[in-house]
Amino acid sequence: MSEWRLYEVFVRSKHGLNHKHVGSVHAADAEMAMENARDLYTRRNEGVSIWVVPSDMITASASDEKEVLFDPSEDKVYRHASFYELPDEVGHM
Amino acid sequence: MYAQLVETGAKRVKSLDEMSPEERAFQEKIDAETKIEPKNWMPEGYRKTLIRQISQHAHSEVVGMLPEGNWVTRAPTLKRKLQLMAKIQDEAGHGLYLYSAMETLGADRDEEIEKLHQGKAKYSSIFNYPTLNWADMGAVGWLVDGAAIVNQVVLQRTSYGPYSRAMIRICKEESFHQRQGYQILLDMMREGTDEQKQMVQDAINRLWWPALMMFGPHDDESPNSQQSMAWKIKRKSNDELRQMFIDQTVPQLEYLGCTAPDPDLKWNEETGHYDFGEINWQEFYDVLKGNGPCNRERINTRKKAIEEGAWVREAAVAYAKKQKQRAAAA
């Protein structure tokens, strides 16, 4: 199995929704990864479309980078609609 | 439970003051119910305990296919055969979800499977009992999958993210297993001959106690539980889970019109729970040590499957290489 590459599996559960990560499979190639993903993650109509991506092709943020990456957006409250208060007379906007 | 006696390496649980800053931050995250993810820092003991528990759980799913595989060609109707195959396929899938979760901790699947084959890794004691008649398929689904569900529902809240997510998927699929098992027994009790009804009672007599053993030793005999609970790998104790299982199962047993092989089993008005007799712990430890009725047969079957399937895996790699070369040449 160590010779088999690891693939991450993403399934679109319904038309109109995003693909969502569901897990991973080992496979000798992408075609086999697709077949394995179908057997493993969509035995009960869980999806209408599958992506398989070699795991080593994914660049992920590290958990200790969390503050560097995400803290700067925390103090920018003016990016949210709720920051701007409007008089009731203006109605829905 | 599918994991029994999982070693944590801890003699006692450290207090927050005794921990290093990293350990303390980790424990505080656990206490705040924040899930731990693969890239987060974790104590080595936590990682090792999880690898042991998840691999044991995965091995149980895989070995769990064997007692049922015995009945695929002997199922009484095509409908029952299809249901049984679907259940077995689910179990292969559950094993794979769990091996994937285990790999996120840096463990190698082949190495962990090798440990199973060498007898260094365990799987649930329940699968070392034989399935002797068709009613056993019903009793396994109802009692064994039922006991597994009680344990797994709680494990959906386990502290390690990938394990928790695998448990959520598994629980969604598992209730079909228990219902199909109970329905096999119901059909036999309602429409069966006297002999078939006796088969149901016989299956329950043989599998009742081994199903209760699935939850593992008593809490005070379970030195690793405390650390596992502190890390929230385990969420409820062995005895708590066993009681939950008995309380929900006895009314179903009565509805079937069958009895449990336990003269001490009776409703306790005061506690609001069923009282039950003492488990034969000597049997439990014997089976765990490898001396159950089917331990050797199960491991030999697993080894044979890996060895005889080697050429398929080699061919798949050779084919993938050839396709890649062709694509490069074109």
Side-chain angles (χ1 to χ4, degrees), chain A residues 1 4 26 40 43-44 63, chain B residues 40 90 103 109-110 173:
Chain A
M1 188 107 25
W4 290 16
H26 283 275
L40 190 55
R43 287 197 300 283
R44 291 183 175 82
S63 59
Chain B
N40 295 154
D90 275 352
E103 284 176 307
R109 190 180 303 208
D110 290 345
E173 298 177 350

Side-chain angles (χ1 to χ4, degrees), chain A residues 1-4 6 22 24-26 28-29 31-32 39-44 46 60-63, chain B residues 39-40 89-90 92-94 96-97 100 103 108-110 169 173 176-177 313 316-317 319-321:
Chain A
M1 188 107 25
S2 25
E3 266 193 272
W4 290 16
L6 188 65
V22 292
S24 56
V25 291
H26 283 275
D29 59 20
E31 193 187 338
M32 188 179 177
D39 285 349
L40 190 55
Y41 292 106
T42 59
R43 287 197 300 283
R44 291 183 175 82
E46 287 94 337
S61 66
S63 59
Chain B
K39 289 193 165 185
N40 295 154
Q89 194 191 7
D90 275 352
H94 296 175
L96 291 172
Y97 302 153
S100 289
E103 284 176 307
D108 181 84
R109 190 180 303 208
D110 290 345
R169 289 192 73 85
E173 298 177 350
F176 135 65
H177 297 183
R313 297 191 297 278
V317 172
Y319 177 79
K321 269 188 193 150

Side-chain angles (χ1 to χ4, degrees), chain B residues 13-28 31 43 227 230-231:
Chain B
V13 179
K14 278 191 205 171
S15 70
L16 281 178
D17 305 336
E18 293 171 281
M19 292 178 183
S20 69
E22 273 171 324
E23 279 177 302
R24 199 176 309 136
F26 174 84
Q27 189 62 48
E28 280 164 0
D31 294 341
Q227 181 62 69
W231 280 331

Side-chain angles (χ1 to χ4, degrees), chain B residues 1-270:
Chain B
M1 183 168 179
Y2 274 5
Q4 298 155 325
L5 283 176
V6 178
E7 176 66 42
T8 57
K11 297 233 162 29
R12 63 180 189 87
V13 179
K14 278 191 205 171
S15 70
L16 281 178
D17 305 336
E18 293 171 281
M19 292 178 183
S20 69
E22 273 171 324
E23 279 177 302
R24 199 176 309 136
F26 174 84
Q27 189 62 48
E28 280 164 0
K29 237 168 128 175
I30 299 254
D31 294 341
E33 298 289 334
T34 306
K35 291 269 182 274
I36 307 301
E37 294 298 336
K39 289 193 165 185
N40 295 154
W41 184 89
M42 59 185 86
E44 213 32 46
Y46 178 83
R47 180 190 301 277
K48 283 190 179 151
T49 303
L50 268 174
I51 291 174
R52 278 192 212 104
Q53 174 156 338
I54 301 174
S55 66
Q56 202 184 114
H57 200 152
H59 299 332
S60 300
E61 295 283 356
V62 172
V63 177
M65 293 191 278
L66 304 179
E68 294 178 322
N70 187 35
W71 283 92
V72 171
T73 55
R74 300 178 176 91
T77 63
L78 180 60
K79 181 182 84 174
R80 292 295 185 201
K81 183 188 281 208
L82 289 172
Q83 291 167 348
L84 190 57
M85 286 196 295
K87 179 176 191 291
I88 294 171
Q89 194 191 7
D90 275 352
E91 273 143 17
H94 296 175
L96 291 172
Y97 302 153
L98 289 161
Y99 283 128
S100 289
M102 179 197 78
E103 284 176 307
T104 63
L105 293 155
D108 181 84
R109 190 180 303 208
D110 290 345
E111 276 172 26
E112 295 306 317
I113 290 173
E114 187 51 34
K115 280 184 201 162
L116 170 72
H117 293 179
Q118 289 173 357
K120 287 180 193 161
K122 289 194 272 283
Y123 54 91
S124 178
S125 56
I126 189 73
F127 301 117
N128 292 312
Y129 292 86
T131 45
L132 302 177
N133 71 44
W134 172 249
D136 285 22
M137 288 302 94
V140 164
W142 171 48
L143 295 174
V144 175
D145 288 82
I149 290 170
V150 166
N151 176 54
Q152 293 177 155
V153 163
V154 183
L155 278 177
Q156 292 179 101
R157 294 190 295 119
T158 192
S159 60
Y160 187 57
Y163 191 25
S164 155
R165 292 190 285 274
M167 286 329 312
I168 291 168
R169 289 192 73 85
I170 288 174
C171 283
K172 268 190 199 159
E173 298 177 350
E174 198 95 60
S175 63
F176 135 65
H177 297 183
Q178 196 187 13
R179 282 169 172 235
Q180 68 89 36
Y182 193 68
Q183 205 206 44
I184 287 174
L185 301 182
L186 261 183
D187 275 6
M188 289 177 82
M189 292 306 289
R190 280 176 174 162
E191 294 160 39
T193 61
D194 285 347
E195 208 184 353
Q196 287 168 332
K197 288 178 190 171
Q198 275 167 20
M199 279 164 71
V200 174
Q201 185 60 57
D202 172 57
I204 294 170
N205 289 347
R206 283 180 289 106
L207 288 164
W208 181 261
W209 289 109
L212 297 187
M213 291 178 200
M214 288 173 70
F215 297 95
H218 282 310
D219 297 343
D220 50 10
E221 302 276 321
S222 178
N224 299 300
S225 276
Q226 263 188 323
Q227 181 62 69
S228 277
M229 300 270 277
W231 280 331
K232 297 192 180 173
I233 293 174
K234 271 178 91 150
R235 304 295 315 232
K236 277 194 192 315
S237 79
N238 296 352
D239 286 328
E240 274 179 281
L241 291 166
R242 187 165 19 239
Q243 188 69 56
M244 278 170 69
F245 173 69
I246 287 179
D247 288 347
Q248 72 177 46
T249 303
V250 174
Q252 298 161 3
L253 176 76
E254 285 167 355
Y255 187 81
L256 276 179
C258 293
T259 56
D262 179 0
D264 298 322
L265 183 72
K266 59 171 183 295
W267 178 250
N268 183 330
E269 200 65 55
E270 233 166 83

